[in-house]
Amino acid sequence: MTAPRTPRGARRVGGPAAVRRRSAWRRGPLWYVGYALLLVWTAITVVPFVSMLLLSLHPTSDIYAHPLGLGGKWVLSNYADAWRGVVGGAPLSTYIINSVLVALCSLAVGVTCGSLAGYGLARATRGLSNAVSRVMILALSVPLVVALIPTFELLGRYQLLNSVAGISLVYAAFMTPTIALIMRSVFAAVPRELLEAAKIDGYGELAALLRVVLPISKGGFVSVTLLGLIFVWSEVQFGVVLLTRPQDRTLSVGLLSFQGQFVSDQGAFFAGLVIATFPIVILFLIFQRYVTSGITLGALK
């Protein structure tokens, strides 16, 4: 016996009064205010990228005359100048390779250590987990500039200045607490029944993490990986202090060479910014759904 079908045109959810209330709310004052705020936020987010792209297509003289890039002469030579680099510096390709190597090494260490720490916090008792989490939050509140001199002295003592290994360890150390706190929320949302079933099947903690928890937490891993990549790709303070030789600099530090004390090539600088920003934007667009699912999974607990 089949259930009676709803007549064509009938309301499926709620009565006419409920439908009218929902329609009034959608087109009420709050709806327009929220829509206007979304448009303003979109403009604030998109306009800097569009302005940067426009400025990369103008010579330096026109950039000073037209700061928004809406007028003046259009050129493409800025990208060639940016790729060659400045006199006395390294080409942009060297900076890109250095950034990729540093990102791979620091993410491998930071995501691994942070995920293991997050899993330990999720499995620990509530009191211990909260206490350790508060310590991590307190450490994150300390400005990075405070650690510049101690970090410089420490890496100099072990001959790790101007090296991929040294800067990678620094970035991994500073991203690990953030990754641990995020992954703690992600792992806490995993049903404990799955872990208990894994123990019945003979899995230990590490085996349960690798075979049970990781496959259903890939959204969280993608999220923390992208966050770590953005941090490494754009970090400047430690790079300026710890990477003094041009051939060892990362992309964000190498772009500063276009801003000299007496001469500044603004066109090449903005072209380099476009080249540096483009890969991150593409990766975020590709993995956006994983980032959204990872944030949602962590927020459900």
Side-chain angles (χ1 to χ4, degrees), residues 122 184-192 296-301:
R184 175 203 177 192
S185 300
V186 173
F187 291 144
V190 176
R192 290 189 174 271
T296 305
L297 182 62
L300 289 178
K301 189 64 178 176

Side-chain angles (χ1 to χ4, degrees), residues 9-30:
R11 305 294 184 181
R12 292 181 178 272
V13 180
V19 174
R20 285 196 298 269
R21 285 195 299 270
R22 288 196 297 268
S23 301
W25 182 87
R26 291 174 184 173
R27 293 296 183 268
L30 291 179

